[in-house]
Amino acid sequence: MANTALRIYTGVVAIVCATAIAIALHAQSSAAAWQSDSRSWQALVQQTVARDKALAVASRKMAKRYNHLIVTTSRSQRKLMTALKHAQTAGAAAAVYTPQSTVYQTVPSSTGAPAPAPVSTPAPVAPPTTHTS
């Protein structure tokens, strides 16, 4: 009986050892897979951080350009409105004080036509006003 018990005990120990070896091999392959996944995730994170930094720099540059554009547009609009007001007041003053000009039409001399009559032009009209501000 001792001989059969020894055989059973040896068989059980062999099964336990084989199971332990199989579990260890599986754990090792799982660990290798996890390390591979970890490396790929770390590479993805590094790429994302680099892209995020580049995007942040580009966004700041674009915001500066946009703000500069807004400021220059605002200045230009103010200058335009001031010039338009001055032109309107100058145009209105010129329209009031400018005598009507006479325009002569040229006719070729070979036709022998009579001298053309002067054509009067209407006084310039002040441009329309815009009420924006």
Side-chain angles (χ1 to χ4, degrees):
M1 173 140 161
N3 197 11
T4 52
L6 185 61
R7 283 185 181 180
I8 292 175
Y9 175 76
T10 304
V12 170
V13 169
I15 290 175
V16 169
C17 286
T19 306
I21 290 172
I23 290 173
L25 290 175
H26 179 70
Q28 185 180 5
S29 67
S30 294
W34 277 102
Q35 285 177 347
S36 173
D37 285 347
S38 173
R39 277 188 234 112
S40 67
W41 279 106
Q42 287 174 351
L44 180 65
V45 166
Q46 288 174 352
Q47 289 175 353
T48 304
V49 167
R51 287 179 185 164
D52 185 52
K53 285 180 182 179
L55 185 62
V57 168
S59 295
R60 274 186 251 123
K61 285 181 181 179
M62 185 178 292
K64 280 184 180 181
R65 286 194 319 237
Y66 179 76
N67 290 338
H68 184 279
L69 179 66
I70 294 298
V71 168
T72 56
T73 302
S74 177
R75 286 180 188 159
S76 177
Q77 184 179 13
R78 272 187 263 134
K79 287 180 183 179
L80 177 65
M81 294 306 293
T82 303
L84 185 60
K85 286 179 184 178
H86 288 304
Q88 286 174 347
T89 57
V96 171
Y97 299 113
T98 305
Q100 291 189 357
S101 58
T102 304
V103 177
Y104 291 98
Q105 197 175 25
T106 58
V107 177
S109 62
S110 64
T111 60
V119 178
S120 64
T121 59
V125 179
T129 61
T130 58
H131 300 286
T132 60
S133 292

